[in-house]
């Protein structure tokens, strides 16, 4: 499949919309807490939020799927991100990802910043994480 310049422009527009909102929210958070973890944290968060929205669409399009599907996709996406750094630093970044992933996952789940999708069981769709008001 060929991704056209028009397709890329649409992705850039989506990223731009999310980046504007992220810049505003990040600036508010930094003002209130006074902390900034990385000089490009605003770009990191905007990229993360853009990819999260795209991944939600893809997951919905791939229903039904299982936990092996999710695990395999997680490995492939992490490998793509790691491959963006110079090859001589792959090992260092891989180690950082392995060390940081458990805490990052726990934090995202706790904060509700997760892929919101559904699991299909016997033809019935269920959310992957409880929605507000559905927690018992």
């Amino acid at each position: 499949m060929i991704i056209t310049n028009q397709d890329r422009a649409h992705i850039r527009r989506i990223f731009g919309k999310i980046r504007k909102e992220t810049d505003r929210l990040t600036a508010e958070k930094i003002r209130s807490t006074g902390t900034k973890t990385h000089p490009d944290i605003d770009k990191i968060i905007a990229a993360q939020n853009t990819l999260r929205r795209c991944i939600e669409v893809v997951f919905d399009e791939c229903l039904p799927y299982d936990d092996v599907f999710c695990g395999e996709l997680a490995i492939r996406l992490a490998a793509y991100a790691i491959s963006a750094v110079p090859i001589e630093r792959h090992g260092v970044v891989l180690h950082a990802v392995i060390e940081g992933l458990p805490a990052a996952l726990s934090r995202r789940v706790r904060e509700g910043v997760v892929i919101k999708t559904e699991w299909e069981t016997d033809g019935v769709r269920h959310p992957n994480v409880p929605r507000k008001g559905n927690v018992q």
Side-chain angles (χ1 to χ4, degrees), residues 115-120 124-131 134:
I115 300 295
K116 292 178 176 69
T117 187
E118 298 176 330
W119 286 82
E120 192 171 298
V124 179
R125 288 184 172 193
H126 306 278
N128 61 317
V129 294
R131 305 296 193 248
N134 291 345

Side-chain angles (χ1 to χ4, degrees), residues 75-85:
I75 291 167
R76 291 169 183 245
L77 292 172
Y80 278 138
I82 293 166
S83 74
V85 301

Side-chain angles (χ1 to χ4, degrees), residues 74-95:
I75 291 167
R76 291 169 183 245
L77 292 172
Y80 278 138
I82 293 166
S83 74
V85 301
I87 196 163
E88 62 272 8
R89 292 192 290 227
H90 284 184
V92 172
V93 175
L94 174 61
H95 181 72

Side-chain angles (χ1 to χ4, degrees), residues 15 23 38 44 49 57 59 62 67 71 101 106-107 123 126 136:
F15 179 73
D23 288 348
H38 186 279
I44 293 167
N49 290 340
V57 171
F59 270 100
C62 290
D67 53 344
L101 190 56
S106 293
R107 186 174 57 256
H126 306 278
Q136 298 180 6

Side-chain angles (χ1 to χ4, degrees), residues 26-37:
T26 302
E28 287 175 10
K29 188 170 187 172
I30 291 168
R31 270 196 303 274
S32 68
T33 63
T35 60
K36 190 171 182 179
T37 60

